[in-house]
Amino acid sequence: MDFRTSSEEERTVTIRRQTIGGFGLSIKGGAEHNIPVVISKISKEQKAELSGLLFIGDGILQINGINVRNYRHEEVVQVLRNAGEEVTLTVSFLKKTPAFLKLPLCEDCTCVPSDQSSGTSSPLCDSGLHLNYHPNNTDTLSCSSWPTSPGLRWEKRWVDLRLIPLLHSRLSQYIPGTDICRQNAFQVIAVDGVCSGVIQCLTSEDCLDWLQAIAANISNLTKHNIKKINRNFPVNQQIIYMGWVDEREQDSLQDRMYTPKFLALRGSSLFKFSAPPVTTWDWTRAEKSFTVYEIMCKILKDSDLLDQRKNCFSLQTESGEDMFFSVELECELTLWEKAFQTATFLEVERIQCKTYACIMESHLMGLTIDFSMGFICFDAASKAVLWRYKFSQLKGSSDDGKSKIKFLFQNQDTKLIEAKELEFSNLFAVLHCIHSFFAAKVACLDPLYVGSQGAAAAAVASAPAPATCAAGTGKIKYST
């Protein structure tokens, strides 16, 4: 391997040894392998880095005026050890060292010296001159002595390339705006837009492990944040869910098929934001909000998917508009489904009844959906009750997709089916409300569900976390 230097590129740098951290650099190579001794690592915030004049790949030419160009690795180590509290290095960047520096490093060195009294260190191992070393210590710097010598302690440090706060961050396996999933790769985007870049994994299993671990951290941070926010809201305005989704654009002519949105279930409402709400004022600036018991949520099966995106669900609003959303992981989809069920159940349980204006046989009426009593129809003017049926008496229904609903109730006495046709100005809101009341009624018959909802009511913010993910720290680091 041919290494060339130029005297014009030579630099002279003087640094002082620290009691803890030493010079803050590591060296590699040596004349025994026809390789010059080069700086292979520089510790963060140590003397070598703070000088601003030393770099990885610099070849060490002189130490305190001693020419070490042809010195062996161990000889350079010894010169540096005996250099005192201050050392003057003459260095030059070696243009051919990058390939050499990529050779595997033996951080867990297993090289055993032939003579324990004068052990040698391997030129392909990093000799850590950032060791916790003091010049009065006379221990020989050998690979085998690093773990056991009381005066020398190997100080491993992470170098942060990028630090991304995970609170309100989002994951993305897909090429932005598309339904094209990257192969074993993903990226993390912070709430302020800082992006990790595309992180490529070797296998799909590794990729899934990372995604689940990061998603679990985001989920745990979100739950903790929800608990803090809920202290400022009354019981009927508690937050149950917050998280990122990708919304499918209605206009298929656009190049961008999907746009990131932030959904939140709070009290009786579902909010859709372009960014997470941070202040109380932010909650008033949602793109859209819907009454949770007047919308319908459907988890899409594989046969219902609109494109290559998986883990999708749809929401039909009270106006009949269909919205399609995608999340990254199956555990996130499960989390959303449970949160939506919980929000609907708690709100139905809280309001107990809902009344809608309607027309029956050209007369203005009111239809009350009562959680305890069922369906009650009354005259809007006199308030006189015209008929009432329990939920169990509803045997079927149909609608024209515009304004009319035909109910088929079974008379308890005669067992005959009685048809009642009503006309509403907000057909979908009524249909969805009836569905929500029925779902809540059925849930009451399930002891496990009732128990889980009782716990949710007591601690409404504690949304279920994915079982496959473990808790962790609040930031993701990319380090070398």
Side-chain angles (χ1 to χ4, degrees):
M1 190 177 297
D2 182 21
F3 293 88
R4 299 182 183 274
T5 65
S6 169
S7 60
E8 294 179 358
E9 299 173 353
E10 293 181 7
R11 284 167 279 118
T12 300
V13 186
T14 300
I15 55 175
R16 291 189 62 82
R17 190 194 306 271
Q18 297 179 143
T19 303
I20 298 177
F23 294 128
L25 57 84
S26 297
I27 61 173
K28 189 176 183 182
E32 64 268 42
H33 287 274
N34 296 320
I35 296 170
V37 171
V38 296
I39 297 175
S40 57
K41 286 186 180 180
I42 293 180
S43 299
K44 189 175 182 180
E45 297 180 358
Q46 297 295 314
K47 288 295 186 179
E49 184 194 51
L50 295 175
S51 72
L53 296 173
L54 293 175
F55 307 96
I56 294 175
D58 280 345
I60 299 178
L61 309 180
Q62 294 184 24
I63 302 174
N64 288 345
I66 301 173
N67 188 335
V68 296
R69 285 178 173 85
N70 298 317
Y71 274 37
R72 297 167 58 86
H73 180 270
E74 182 64 20
E75 292 173 333
V76 175
V77 171
Q78 293 296 337
V79 171
L80 284 168
R81 291 184 63 197
N82 298 323
E85 295 296 324
E86 187 174 271
V87 64
T88 299
L89 303 176
T90 300
V91 299
S92 176
F93 184 75
L94 304 184
K95 297 179 180 179
K96 297 293 184 69
T97 55
F100 162 67
L101 291 174
K102 290 180 181 178
L103 289 174
L105 299 180
C106 305
E107 288 192 349
D108 298 323
C109 293
T110 57
C111 49
V112 180
S114 57
D115 181 359
Q116 288 292 342
S117 63
S118 60
T120 59
S121 56
S122 169
L124 295 184
C125 289
D126 278 317
S127 288
L129 299 168
H130 58 293
L131 301 175
N132 295 337
Y133 165 81
H134 193 273
N136 291 332
N137 190 302
T138 59
D139 288 341
T140 301
L141 182 62
S142 64
C143 294
S144 60
S145 71
W146 288 352
T148 57
S149 175
L152 300 175
R153 294 181 180 274
W154 178 253
E155 187 176 304
K156 295 184 178 179
R157 292 183 175 228
W158 293 96
V159 178
D160 298 334
L161 301 181
R162 193 164 299 175
L163 189 62
I164 300 178
L166 286 182
L167 179 60
H168 293 327
S169 290
R170 59 186 178 90
L171 294 170
S172 177
Q173 302 176 76
Y174 295 89
I175 296 175
T178 74
D179 63 337
I180 302 173
C181 186
R182 296 184 175 94
Q183 188 70 24
N184 303 334
F186 65 94
Q187 59 182 349
V188 184
I189 302 97
V191 68
D192 59 359
V194 175
C195 180
S196 65
V198 178
I199 302 171
Q200 185 69 51
C201 300
L202 295 178
T203 66
S204 58
E205 291 78 12
D206 289 342
C207 186
L208 182 59
D209 286 345
W210 272 109
L211 287 169
Q212 289 178 338
I214 296 171
N217 278 273
I218 293 174
S219 176
N220 290 332
L221 288 167
T222 300
K223 288 191 294 182
H224 181 70
N225 190 48
I226 287 174
K227 287 182 180 180
K228 293 195 297 182
I229 296 174
N230 279 342
R231 296 170 187 167
N232 302 318
F233 290 138
V235 175
N236 63 338
Q237 290 294 314
Q238 296 284 285
I239 301 170
I240 295 175
Y241 172 90
M242 291 197 301
W244 284 101
V245 298
D246 282 304
E247 182 180 15
R248 196 175 197 274
E249 296 290 347
Q250 300 296 326
D251 186 358
S252 59
L253 298 178
Q254 292 187 1
D255 294 335
R256 189 177 184 88
M257 293 173 58
Y258 284 88
T259 304
K261 298 295 179 183
F262 193 84
L263 297 185
L265 289 167
R266 175 187 161 202
S268 63
S269 299
L270 166 66
F271 296 89
K272 184 176 74 171
F273 300 91
S274 58
V278 178
T279 66
T280 304
W281 174 248
D282 288 339
W283 289 92
T284 66
R285 297 187 292 176
E287 287 185 3
K288 289 185 178 180
S289 63
F290 312 93
T291 303
V292 69
Y293 54 82
E294 291 185 340
I295 58 178
M296 180 80 75
C297 177
K298 179 183 178 182
I299 305 300
L300 301 186
K301 299 179 181 178
D302 291 345
S303 58
D304 299 325
L305 298 175
L306 303 180
D307 48 46
Q308 299 182 59
R309 288 254 182 172
K310 298 180 180 180
N311 305 316
C312 299
F313 63 94
S314 65
L315 292 176
Q316 189 177 60
T317 68
E318 61 265 29
S319 65
E321 176 190 4
D322 289 313
M323 301 185 299
F324 296 90
F325 300 94
S326 167
V327 293
E328 294 293 324
L329 301 172
E330 186 177 353
C331 61
E332 292 179 310
L333 187 62
T334 301
L335 184 65
W336 157 260
E337 184 180 19
K338 290 183 178 180
F340 186 83
Q341 291 173 349
T342 299
T344 303
F345 180 89
L346 292 177
E347 192 56 24
V348 169
E349 190 178 51
R350 186 186 71 82
I351 64 173
Q352 288 294 307
C353 65
K354 179 67 178 178
T355 300
Y356 294 96
C358 59
I359 295 175
M360 186 177 72
E361 298 176 354
S362 302
H363 294 285
L364 184 61
M365 302 289 179
L367 177 69
T368 297
I369 307 165
D370 189 284
F371 191 66
S372 301
M373 303 178 67
F375 299 90
I376 304 169
C377 186
F378 59 91
D379 183 272
S382 65
K383 308 300 182 185
V385 175
L386 302 180
W387 49 262
R388 71 175 71 212
Y389 297 95
K390 296 179 180 179
F391 286 108
S392 59
Q393 291 179 264
L394 181 64
K395 299 305 178 182
S397 66
S398 61
D399 64 272
D400 62 359
K402 297 178 181 178
S403 61
K404 295 180 180 179
I405 306 177
K406 179 181 284 188
F407 297 99
L408 299 177
F409 296 104
Q410 185 179 47
N411 188 295
Q412 279 187 319
D413 299 325
T414 64
K415 305 302 180 183
L416 298 176
I417 299 298
E418 299 173 353
K420 304 293 182 182
E421 186 175 86
L422 304 176
E423 186 174 354
F424 299 88
S425 61
N426 49 351
L427 174 70
F428 291 99
V430 177
L431 290 173
H432 298 159
C433 181
I434 293 172
H435 178 273
S436 296
F437 272 70
F438 261 101
K441 200 72 177 177
V442 171
C444 284
L445 302 178
D446 183 352
L448 293 177
Y449 187 84
V450 172
S452 66
Q453 299 316 304
V460 70
S462 57
T468 58
C469 305
T473 61
K475 293 184 179 180
I476 181 169
K477 290 185 178 182
Y478 297 89
S479 307
T480 59

